[in-house]
Amino acid sequence: TLATNPDFTSIVADRHFERINGLIEDARARGARVEQINPGGEDLGNQRKIAPTLIFDPTDDMKVMQEEIFGPVLPVKTYRDLGEAIDYVNARD
């Protein structure tokens, strides 16, 4: 489980918990596919825990691609070849 797992920590503050959830919701609202890894379907919110979350096909205008995340959220971008990935990274701060 995630809820009672001592190795899976809570988000340190309510404000940060809400900020991370806001990043996830912004990505979902803008069309990204959001997958949370929560095999037990547990309600984690009352503990300020967020299930590991994958955000597929994020766009550059999504907040999750503009801010440092500091939480269990991973945006997943695809690329055709390594050069494309390197060019993408080098074109940004």
Side-chain angles (χ1 to χ4, degrees):
T1 68
L2 298 174
T4 60
N5 185 334
D7 296 323
F8 191 73
T9 62
S10 298
I11 306 300
V12 70
D14 288 334
R15 185 175 68 94
H16 189 56
F17 176 76
E18 294 303 323
R19 187 186 72 79
I20 294 171
N21 278 312
L23 296 176
I24 295 168
E25 290 310 311
D26 176 72
R28 183 177 282 124
R30 293 173 184 262
R33 183 169 56 101
V34 177
E35 297 288 335
Q36 290 193 310
I37 302 167
N38 185 354
E42 299 170 278
D43 178 14
L44 304 173
N46 59 348
Q47 300 175 42
R48 286 196 324 261
K49 291 185 176 185
I50 297 172
T53 303
L54 302 173
I55 298 178
F56 293 97
D57 299 318
T59 57
D60 291 340
D61 64 329
M62 293 177 185
K63 292 178 185 179
V64 75
M65 295 299 289
Q66 298 173 3
E67 299 179 17
E68 291 185 287
I69 300 167
F70 297 111
V73 177
L74 180 66
V76 179
K77 300 256 324 160
T78 59
Y79 59 92
R80 290 185 181 93
D81 59 59
L82 185 57
E84 181 183 349
I86 292 169
D87 291 344
Y88 178 83
V89 170
N90 286 337
R92 287 152 182 79
D93 292 337

